[in-house]
Amino acid sequence: MKRLCIYLLLTSMLLAACNKSPVIDDVTMLDGNQIFDASLNHPENYLASSYLANPTENQLNTPVIIASHGYSASTFEWDELRVFADKNKGFYVSQVLLGGHGRTYQEFKDATWKDWQQSIKDEYEKLSKMGFKKIYLAGSSTSGALLLNLIKSNFFSSYTKPKGIFLIDPIVLPSNKSLTMIGLLGPVLGFTTSELEEGEKGYWYVYRPQESLKQLLAVIDLTRRDLEDGFSLPQDTYLKVYKSIKDETAEPVSALLIYKGLKTSKGANIDVEMVESNLHVFTRLKGRSNVSSTDEALQLKTFTEMRNKMLE
């Protein structure tokens, strides 16, 4: 017991000695003040509400999907869906940058999960008021929790009801259990560091402030509790969950919790597909160094299924 106490004391002293603010001096890092998400300066290249600012009747009847990314990521996460849409036609993609993301470390640090969510709400409201009749949503990772919260809070009751929602590796339970300790260790650590591959630099935050990790934990905990209580989709809204069976970020059981806690407006079960992948957000392959033909086939299959559903 005495040794354990000494170990804990030494560990606490070591943690206390850590620098609580990262040194950001690499111009290739998203965390600094040199690189910003391109959608901030050129929304007309990302948001359907901008590049379709004066829609024709035909465009208003064409499906549009609002695609939102995960925690600490950027619009880059859905670039491949945009490429797929441009090639195969039939629907528009609106790539939303979560609030507080794609900017400096300090702005990321200061943003709440409701700030993250606000940009999704803003784009949905705009498209609905513009008269788009077939609005879909796609959320990867943390955006899965943000979209589930919009459903639970009845956000869509004031607007055109979404035709469908696709969740890619939504996180309800984290695979890394240390996240649950952020309330205790966060103030001591200040931030954590994530390892990025070369092709991911400039599109994800290297440093994750403890304040943002607390926000992440807060929204997924809230989502889990809401699913335990149970709630339903808006009328005639379709939803499908795609979940990797091996995921170092989001526990595969997250899909089961969504399946058990969320029903259609008529009380039926939602669709869930457990996919053979060990990638978190398997629909994003750009920037990853080890991508197999199986990964590419799975991405194409998923995008094709999403497109087919939108064109029904």
Side-chain angles (χ1 to χ4, degrees), residues 18-306:
C18 295
N19 187 353
K20 297 181 182 180
S21 297
V23 177
I24 303 170
D25 56 5
D26 188 339
V27 296
T28 67
M29 292 168 55
L30 183 62
D31 315 60
N33 58 9
Q34 300 295 316
I35 296 177
F36 301 99
D37 190 271
S39 67
L40 294 171
N41 292 325
H42 298 285
E44 70 279 2
N45 294 334
Y46 292 85
L47 298 177
S49 60
S50 292
Y51 67 77
L52 297 172
N54 298 295
T56 65
E57 190 63 27
N58 181 62
Q59 289 172 330
L60 291 174
N61 283 285
T62 299
V64 56
I65 184 167
I66 299 172
S68 53
H69 58 82
Y71 167 80
S72 81
S74 63
T75 55
F76 178 84
E77 198 159 76
W78 285 106
D79 277 357
E80 288 147 288
L81 180 63
R82 168 63 64 79
V83 172
F84 175 87
D86 290 344
K87 178 180 178 180
N88 293 276
K89 311 301 180 183
F91 68 102
Y92 302 114
V93 178
S94 189
Q95 291 170 262
V96 167
L97 178 67
L98 296 185
H101 286 66
R103 304 162 172 87
T104 64
Y105 174 87
Q106 188 62 46
E107 289 173 284
F108 184 38
K109 177 180 176 179
D110 292 341
T112 67
W113 70 261
K114 291 187 177 181
D115 294 328
W116 305 348
Q117 186 187 63
Q118 188 61 47
S119 55
I120 304 173
K121 296 168 70 173
D122 289 345
E123 180 67 356
Y124 197 96
E125 179 180 3
K126 289 177 183 177
L127 293 176
S128 178
K129 290 183 175 180
M130 289 169 70
F132 283 90
K133 300 175 177 62
K134 301 176 182 178
I135 307 176
Y136 290 77
L137 298 113
S140 53
S141 193
T142 301
S143 269
L146 297 176
L147 293 181
L148 289 170
N149 177 263
L150 290 181
I151 297 168
K152 169 65 176 177
S153 65
N154 294 317
F155 166 77
F156 300 108
S157 62
S158 301
Y159 306 103
T160 303
K161 302 297 184 294
K163 298 288 289 183
I165 301 171
F166 306 98
L167 304 182
I168 308 296
D169 288 331
I171 181 170
V172 178
L173 281 179
S175 295
N176 186 349
K177 304 311 177 189
S178 64
L179 180 61
T180 60
M181 298 292 290
I182 195 62
L184 176 64
L185 297 178
V188 178
L189 291 173
F191 62 92
T192 63
T193 304
S194 58
E195 295 295 328
L196 301 181
E197 295 193 47
E198 190 63 32
E200 297 173 331
K201 292 181 179 179
Y203 300 109
W204 272 264
Y205 287 99
V206 174
Y207 301 115
R208 298 175 175 185
Q210 61 98 4
E211 291 85 356
S212 70
L213 289 167
K214 286 181 179 179
Q215 292 299 312
L216 173 61
L217 182 61
V219 70
I220 62 177
D221 277 352
L222 175 61
T223 302
R224 188 187 70 255
R225 293 195 300 270
D226 286 341
L227 288 168
E228 289 172 353
D229 293 338
F231 57 100
S232 300
L233 289 164
Q235 185 174 0
D236 299 325
T237 296
Y238 170 83
L239 185 141
K240 181 168 183 176
V241 175
Y242 294 88
K243 187 73 195 71
S244 296
I245 61 172
K246 296 180 181 178
D247 190 331
E248 294 183 352
T249 299
E251 279 277 10
V253 75
S254 295
L256 176 61
L257 295 177
I258 298 173
Y259 180 79
K260 292 175 65 176
L262 181 64
K263 302 297 180 184
T264 70
S265 60
K266 296 180 180 179
N269 292 327
I270 62 167
D271 285 346
V272 173
E273 181 177 350
M274 303 302 293
V275 302
E276 290 286 342
S277 174
N278 60 2
L279 299 177
H280 180 60
V281 186
F282 64 89
T283 47
R284 191 274 299 181
L285 302 180
K286 283 179 61 178
R288 287 179 157 138
S289 58
N290 296 312
V291 174
S292 68
S293 57
T294 301
D295 296 327
E296 293 172 345
L298 178 58
Q299 183 196 64
L300 178 60
K301 172 182 175 293
T302 305
F303 286 168
T304 301
E305 287 181 358
M306 292 166 64

Side-chain angles (χ1 to χ4, degrees), residues 1-15:
M1 183 67 181
K2 182 177 180 181
R3 289 183 178 179
L4 176 60
C5 291
I6 293 174
Y7 173 78
L8 292 175
L9 177 61
L10 291 174
T11 301
S12 298
M13 292 173 64
L14 178 62
L15 291 175

